[in-house]
Amino acid sequence: MSNDTSRRGAVAALLATLVLWAYSWVVMKQALAYAGPFDFAALRYLLGAAVLFLALAVARQRIAPPPLAATALIGLCQTAAFQGLEQWALVDGGAGHVALLAYTMPFWAVLLAWPLLSDRPTRRQWTGTALAAIGLVFILEPWRGLGSPLSTALAIAGGIAWAAGTVLSKRLFQRHAVAPLNLTAWQMLFGGLALGAVALVVPQKPMVWNHALIGALIYSVVFASSLAWWLWLIVLQRLPTAVASLSSLGVPVLAVLLAWAITHEQPSPMEGVGIVFVLLGLAAVSGLRLRRR
């Protein structure tokens, strides 16, 4: 595969991931009316892992695990900690608010990639980061309060966990010949098992099985988990960490726009200004030549 074809494929994977994840925040919030946060998260990822292992078998791809310690650590960060904390944050926080706080991830990823990957941000990347950060401040409007302190703290902690998983995934790709689908399946299994252990010991509301919960579970398992996380690891494999991470800021922006189109939640003027800044930041980052160092 040529470099140009690989880059185009990575960009297409990134765009698909942004759409799938943007809508998933609404789905996750709706699911909490019928299930506890850890029960839903554990089911989502254990079933998602099962779907991916089935895909590996059907495609006759390697099923043996990648380096176990590194893969387990990625699963604990990128799946268990990120999803568990964000699902918990959604109990008291709105879907849009929690999503925006979770997507402080790119800023943490850029900082973590520097010492862990020797991936020093360029001037253009710092500019894009600064513009996007200004945009998030306008969108969040912290001067008006950040809602539930616990929900806010959980959402930001989840973003840091996702950033750690992102950088660890990039490092694994650099050190070993790992297939994205194989890594996705195994890290999701480890993360799902950890979430299952938490679900067994933390008291939660009983699950109410109905069409709404089943639909939310199907979307979360097949599209937002299995498909989207596989695409995300393809993006991380082929694009620089800063480009991939900062581009994911399109998810909360798209989530706001989808809510506007679907539920008629019109963005405030401040949110509009913030979206413009985030888009400027994304434009700055996308101006880079998309190549690995």
Side-chain angles (χ1 to χ4, degrees), residues 180-281:
L181 184 59
N182 181 274
L183 175 59
T184 306
W186 280 100
Q187 70 87 14
M188 194 172 290
L189 175 61
F190 285 124
L193 289 172
L195 286 167
V198 173
L200 289 175
V201 299
V202 175
Q204 298 170 85
K205 67 168 69 174
M207 298 189 74
V208 179
W209 290 101
N210 54 30
H211 289 93
L213 178 59
I214 293 172
L217 199 56
I218 290 173
Y219 181 86
S220 298
V221 168
V222 177
F223 297 103
S225 297
S226 304
L227 179 58
W229 280 107
W230 171 55
L231 292 173
W232 175 245
L233 288 179
I234 290 176
V235 171
L236 288 179
Q237 184 185 42
R238 299 181 185 178
L239 298 181
T241 306
V243 174
S245 299
L246 288 171
S247 296
S248 70
L249 283 172
V251 172
V253 171
L254 185 56
V256 171
L257 297 177
L258 284 174
W260 187 8
I262 296 171
T263 64
H264 308 293
E265 297 177 11
Q266 185 172 354
S268 68
M270 284 294 185
E271 286 177 323
V273 172
I275 288 172
V276 170
F277 271 99
V278 171
L279 292 176
L280 288 173

